[in-house]
């Protein structure tokens, strides 16, 4: 399976989102960062904007909820047709219940871990999820530097997925460039979010191809 590259439209030109979606049509999914100014100190967009963007997007949406009370909002993104909906482990006391709800609506369910959140308590829940998002920066802003300290979690996850034979995608998000994607691929990631490195490139499609090739070259056993 080739590596998946999901550009984050947090780094796109917000005055021209439809055109920006067209520039990344060779990617795998569109990563949509939802921030509520409570879970993280930043604010982006909400359900009406996401529903309308989904109508004009050539690619399905990978929604990343950096919000409190995901029980209240996550199902709506699934109902709006998101391909996957990922909520933060730190924001809920009932991750399994919410994951089951998302799957029942037809979305893939993802759980995200901030850099300081341990992965061990979530390993036994992996059958309930389609994706684990290991944050490689503190959530809230694009353009930050990749934190190599998060790679230990990815290695633990990738080892568990390999041993159990589960089909769970391992996603990284934050500071992904042609250099850092290699580190994440070697640690076991298969799905890569990239905001500034894609949208700041002169040719986003060429950058997507470069990122995918770099990741493919360094992933083991795919
Ligand atoms: C950060 C977001 C990321 C962000 C990545 O909180 O979750 O998706 O857009 O941006 P870059 O790739 O610029 O670090
Ligand atoms: Zn994100």
């Amino acid at each position: 399976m080739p590596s998946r590259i999901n550009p984050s439209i947090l780094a796109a030109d917000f005055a021209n989102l439809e055109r920006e979606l067209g520039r990344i049509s060779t990617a795998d999914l569109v990563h949509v960062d939802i921030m509520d100014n409570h879970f993280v100190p930043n604010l982006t967009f909400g359900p009406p904007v996401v529903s309308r963007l989904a109508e004009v997007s050539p690619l399905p949406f990978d929604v990343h909820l950096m919000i409190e009370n995901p029980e209240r909002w996550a199902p709506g993104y699934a109902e709006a047709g998101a391909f996957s909906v990922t909520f933060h482990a730190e924001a809920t006391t009932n991750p399994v219940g919410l994951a089951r709800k998302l799957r029942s609506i037809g979305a893939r369910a993802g759980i995200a871990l901030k850099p300081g959140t341990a992965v061990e308590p979530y390993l036994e829940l992996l059958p309930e999820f389609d994706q684990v998002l290991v944050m490689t920066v503190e959530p809230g802003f694009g353009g930050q530097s990749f934190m190599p300290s998060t790679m230990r979690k990815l290695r633990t996850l990738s080892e568990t997925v390999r041993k159990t034979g589960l089909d769970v995608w391992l996603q990284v998000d934050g500071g992904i460039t042609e250099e850092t994607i290699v580190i994440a691929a070697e640690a076991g990631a298969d799905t890569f979010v990239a905001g500034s490195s894609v949208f700041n490139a002169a040719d986003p499609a060429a950058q997507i191809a470069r990122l995918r090739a770099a990741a493919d070259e360094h992933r083991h056993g795919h």
Side-chain angles (χ1 to χ4, degrees):
M1 171 63 82
S3 307
R4 285 169 285 264
I5 306 296
N6 301 355
S8 165
I9 55 166
L10 189 62
D13 175 2
F14 284 172
N16 294 287
L17 282 172
E18 184 174 10
R19 193 185 70 197
E20 294 284 77
L21 289 169
R23 293 169 79 211
I24 55 164
S25 61
T26 54
D28 292 275
L29 296 164
V30 179
H31 185 81
V32 182
D33 287 309
I34 310 296
M35 305 186 189
D36 66 351
N37 193 34
H38 289 276
F39 184 75
V40 289
N42 196 4
L43 188 62
T44 57
F45 16 68
V49 174
V50 174
S51 298
R52 179 67 189 118
L53 284 175
E55 289 172 7
V56 300
S57 175
L59 295 174
F61 282 4
D62 170 44
V63 172
H64 176 195
L65 299 176
M66 286 161 277
I67 62 172
E68 287 179 0
N69 196 8
E71 287 79 4
R72 163 71 182 84
W73 298 101
Y77 290 100
E79 281 153 11
F83 176 82
S84 65
V85 179
T86 298
F87 56 86
H88 267 267
E90 305 85 2
T92 180
T93 53
N94 185 12
V96 170
L98 186 51
R100 288 182 182 170
K101 173 78 182 166
L102 292 169
R103 282 178 160 181
S104 76
I105 302 169
R108 290 168 59 88
I111 187 158
L113 305 174
K114 288 164 64 165
T117 302
V119 71
E120 283 73 17
Y122 300 98
L123 294 176
E124 65 183 26
L125 308 185
L126 284 184
E128 303 283 348
F129 289 94
D130 302 292
Q131 166 167 292
V132 179
L133 166 48
V134 173
M135 287 302 300
T136 43
V137 298
E138 286 298 340
F141 298 91
Q144 303 181 78
S145 298
F146 177 86
M147 297 167 65
S149 57
T150 58
M151 293 297 100
R152 204 173 54 82
K153 275 193 280 197
L154 207 49
R155 284 191 290 271
T156 302
L157 281 163
S158 119
E159 179 72 4
T160 308
V161 166
R162 196 183 56 75
K163 275 192 192 145
T164 56
L166 289 166
D167 182 18
V168 181
W169 295 0
L170 301 181
Q171 183 177 65
V172 286
D173 180 10
I176 296 297
T177 64
E178 276 168 86
E179 288 76 42
T180 59
I181 200 168
V182 168
I183 301 168
E186 280 173 349
D190 50 45
T191 306
F192 305 85
V193 176
S196 25
S197 76
V198 168
F199 281 102
N200 292 349
D203 181 348
Q207 180 65 4
I208 289 164
R210 278 193 293 270
L211 289 169
R212 199 183 271 126
D216 280 348
E217 198 183 318
H218 290 87
R219 273 170 58 210
H220 308 285
H222 68 281

